[in-house]
Amino acid sequence: MSGPSLMDSLFQRSLEDLIKGLRQQLIGEQAFISKALEEIRKEIKSTDLSIKSTALLKLSYLSSLHFHDMSFATFHALEVLSSPRFSHKKIAYHAISLSFHDSTPVLLLITNHLRKDLTSTNEFEVSLSLRCLSKIANVDLARDLTPEIFTLMSSNKLYVRKKAVAVVLRVFEKYPDSVRVCFKRLVENLDNSDPQILSAVIGVFCELACKDPRSYLPLAPEFYKILVDSKNNWVLIKVLKIFAKLAPLEPRLAKRVVEPICDHMRRTGAKSLLFECVRTVVTSLSEYDSAVRLAVGKVPEFLVDEDPNLKYLGLQVLSIVAQKHLWAVSQNKEAVIKSLSDADPNIKIESLRLVMAMVSECNVTEISRVLVNHALKSDPEFCNEILGSILSTCSRNVYEIIVDFDWYVSLLGEMSRIPHCHKGEEIENQLIDIGIRVKDVRLELVRVSRDLLIDPALLGNFFLHRVLCAASWASGEYVKFSRNPLELMEALLQPRTRLLPPSIRAIYIQSAFKVLVFCLHTYLMQRGSTFSSTSPDNLPSVVSASVSDESFDNLSVENGVDATVTHGQICTPAFITNESIVNLLNMVELALGPLVGSHDVEVQERARNVLGFVDLTKLKFLNYSVQEENDSEGKGVEASNIIELMHDAFSKELGPISLSAQGNVSLPDGLIVKENLGDLEMICCDIELPSSNSFSFGSPCEEKDGVSFSNLQIKEDSEQSNESTSLLAEHRKRHGLYYLPLGKSEISNDYPPANDPILQGNINGNAVDLVKITEESLVPKRKPSHAKPRPVVVKLDEVDEKPVALKKFESKDDSLSGAVRDILFGSEDMVPTSSQSNLSDKSSSKRKGKEKQHTAPHVESKENLVDDGNPSSRRRKYRSHGKERRHRSPRKKTAEEREGQKEKEKSSHRHGRHKSGQRAEEPLNVSAQAPVIPDFLL
Amino acid sequence: MGIRFILMVNKQGQTRLAQYYEWLTLEERRALEGEIVRKCLARTEQQCSFVEHRNYKIVYRRYASLFFLVGVDNDENELAILEFIHLLVETMDRHFGNVCELDIMFHLEKAHFMLEEMVMNGSVVETSKANILTPIQLMDKAS
């Protein structure tokens, strides 16, 4: 193509045309844009820079607002960049900062352009290139342009200088070695009186200090000066942020800054500054009582304000204070509670958090009451927010704050009835968990479950199905606490259960099975006792009789007796007649009959099991009603044996299982775990996993507490086989199903109740003995009365005390902070920084020259950069230096004095450097820095 | 990094200006803007101007038909950001005279220029209107 014609540039669509066209939308936006893009692709290849640049401008527009890829134009942008005209450059820089990133291929080509512009005499060109660099700088650019930036940082043009200062942040990040070159100059700029420079440099330090505060402790005096002197709120806010990070590291520093911050708090009229002061005090200076009081005193200003923004922030501050000073929240209780019904969901959630922070053992009942009432009135989303936070707060640390579990269980029941409740799964987990952990609550649990089960309306609510699942399990598992098992049976078999998903329905059927067995067994025992004793007693004695013969299971005896006591007080269970049994059996047949043809394997199989059981036993009771019992003696005995057997099977306790229980299982001989693992995985992948339920006929409830697979093995006397345990546990966790059949053969009658802490401790002991021991240890604590102390909550030490996510303060010894420390603490030699490139050599020689000009530096470590022959000993030196100074004179010394002293120190400590020369030693570092700071502050 | 991005969005949810201080791909930007706009524009006048989104906090403010949305780190001072937005609007107001959506649409590069004068590397470096506008005025004169 020949050169661009006049026509081309005349008829090129300008950006304005493009925007107008977009607005008119004659042919639809997408069509218009693709047409425009086509044009741009053509125009951008033009050799005329003004056509090219206009095309680039249009492309940037489309890219930034309409998300069109402009990566094809990266090279063209570079071409435009080389234009001598400022307006072209501007467009090019804009396009570049928009589209370039670390992996842009032509990034390397830009270095020289940038360098040229950085050294330009036109300050606007310099500024353009600095701004661009602040966005796109990568390691190479940062490394190659460090010298130019270093020069610009002391430019006498403020406009350029502040930008050079600001860009340093990105350069440091990308190329930490540049710290060695530029840091000193950056610090010098801290002293600059010009507000523009100051806000730029403080911005940089604020970001740096946020990442690694410890390294910047030595600069505290400079920051302090700004805190006291500056009138610029923007700068003050940044300085406060820095101090918020520094103060926790150095108590003496905190002591120094408390007063000035309080002054600001008292004086300032700007809410933003006030807020920052308050936040700084409550986050970092919370030990200073008067300051905290002053800060908390300001909180109502925010809370009662009409402005929702201030209200929100006030609540946020309170939630920070709440961690250490709960009184502050209680002081503002009213405002907080009132905010619960604010128009803004964010504010509501904040205040909810605060309310939850106030919850303690003594007020959990009242607060939960208030909140549940509130949840009833709120919109669905917030309602669930409330319920969720009640659930999580109450279950924290194994229900730490719950004393009255009866209350809590009924609260759970109530919560699940709230129309918007979507927390079924959580409630399900807690109901089962509490049932297993807290023996004393089972009576109430069964009552609550019954109330839930019996209400046909609840079955229609999808979100409640999980709760109902828990309720049905609880009522089946703890049916012996039921006041009226027959009623429970009706509830479990009611027609509307067809609304349940099959998996839950299967649990219903299983629970019905348990209840059925219990009823039959009770009936048999009743009959037995009517024959043996003349007075037909009521159920309680029957219950205790029914279990008393299981002498091997002390637990359930204990339980039975206990239940009798409570039962006797509360209710009189129905006496089961033969007629009702027959009705019961008929009802079961009627309800489960159709399910035999169910398409769901789980439901079908369980229904068949129950019906099979009914078939086996029904004859006996029918016969019994028709004739007298001695007739079909043989069959009757057989049936009662079956019932007895089933009852025994169901009356075993299930306990929570430690997640690490698997680790206590010794490795069976001949099992080569590691080698098999790969195969198992493959098998597990291939096989369509059958639902776990089908394996565990004997105890369907087992699979509900997900960890329980491993309990099968606990009883095996075990030694820690540490090497394989973690692997094994891991694998079992992932492929638990695969393991189950292996244990199935062991689903016999003697589960160890693995639910007591002591059991965990003496896992090697005989399980039965242990049960006795735990029983004894529990008995004294248990009071029969209902005005009770907190019931025993079974805990498994290892699991339940969840490892609180230990967030250790990791001062990342990344290369940036390392470099900064080197500068500030002068420990250059200690750091084998990754890429000590030739550039730093180059620039350090350059630096030497410059260094001379800067007289009387204000940070004493600075002058040691170059002239100190033995920098690695400096940290140690500082430490002892500081110590000695403390001994000798706390008063301020002149720089010369210090210098002299340092020289002495240096020589005396030279030989000790290797010990202190390890950078990783944080504590050492602290002590090294500690004495330095007061020197400047005093 | 204090400020992560600055968006100007009109009532219809169309982005009028987008400035990011960290690299996001076009797809990420599109998704982010969509989510934020949906979240913020649905809010009423009585609700506060702070929204938590992903790991950002969005501080926003509405001026006539334009929403100014600033994504910041979680420990950034929200009120200062609100002041920053106001300063930005005042600056543009001074330059354009009664600034409106159209001004920003047709002078996007100027708006970007102002922003870049004010913010570098995600932190506010310049808060004086005169300082921000001088270079632009000079450039206007030159061209």
Side-chain angles (χ1 to χ4, degrees), chain A residues 15-17 19-20 23 25 29 57 60-61 63-70 86 90 94 97-102 124 127-128 130-132 134-135 159 162-164 166-171 173 195-196 199-200 203-204 207 210-211 232-234 237-238 241 245 270-273 275-276 279 302 307-310 312-313 316 342-347 350 353, chain B residues 1-3 8 14-31 33-34 43-52 57 60-61 73-85 87 101-102 104-110 112-128 131-132 134-136 138-140 143:
Chain A
L15 177 61
E16 200 173 321
D17 299 334
I19 298 168
K20 278 183 183 153
R23 274 168 61 77
Q25 292 199 348
E29 190 178 275
L57 183 63
S60 317
Y61 183 88
S63 166
S64 118
L65 297 188
H66 296 272
F67 309 107
H68 284 283
D69 182 35
M70 62 182 292
F86 182 78
K90 201 173 76 170
H94 180 59
S97 54
L98 202 61
S99 60
F100 279 35
H101 53 100
D102 279 1
F124 297 110
S127 133
L128 279 182
L130 281 173
R131 287 196 317 208
C132 181
S134 83
K135 286 211 170 159
Y159 183 67
K162 73 175 178 202
K163 291 202 161 69
V167 88
V168 149
L169 179 63
R170 171 107 184 183
V171 174
E173 235 165 57
Q196 296 185 46
S199 63
V204 172
E207 294 304 321
C210 281
K211 292 202 181 85
N232 182 337
N233 285 347
W234 298 91
I237 287 172
K238 296 266 179 199
K241 280 191 187 303
K245 296 275 189 259
K271 279 277 191 287
S272 54
L273 181 58
F275 176 66
E276 197 59 48
R279 187 157 65 176
F302 289 86
D307 186 351
N309 292 339
L310 296 183
Y312 176 80
L313 295 177
Q316 261 199 343
D342 198 271
D344 185 350
N346 292 0
I347 290 182
E350 280 297 322
R353 274 182 211 157
Chain B
M1 193 184 296
I3 297 175
M8 296 184 199
Q14 293 164 305
T15 310
R16 288 302 178 214
L17 180 148
Q19 175 79 284
Y20 289 85
Y21 295 93
E22 59 191 339
W23 172 256
L24 295 177
T25 65
L26 287 176
E27 272 321 302
E28 286 166 337
R29 289 185 192 190
R30 192 203 294 272
E33 286 176 28
R43 295 170 62 83
T44 65
E45 296 277 339
Q46 291 85 46
Q47 304 182 345
C48 71
S49 313
F50 318 123
V51 179
E52 277 170 31
K57 197 157 49 184
Y60 72 93
R61 193 155 181 170
D73 280 342
N74 270 319
D75 56 352
E76 192 55 66
N77 186 317
E78 293 90 342
L79 293 173
I81 297 297
L82 281 180
E83 278 170 38
F84 163 75
I85 294 176
L87 175 71
E101 195 184 331
L102 284 181
I104 294 168
M105 281 181 71
F106 284 101
H107 303 281
L108 187 64
E109 75 286 1
K110 270 188 196 160
H112 268 294
F113 197 94
M114 283 178 217
L115 263 185
E116 287 180 10
E117 287 293 313
M118 294 172 77
V119 184
M120 269 183 91
N121 271 324
S123 62
V124 179
V125 290
E126 184 56 76
T127 51
S128 138
N131 286 345
I132 298 165
T134 323
I136 297 183
L138 279 175
M139 275 175 236
D140 278 358
S143 61

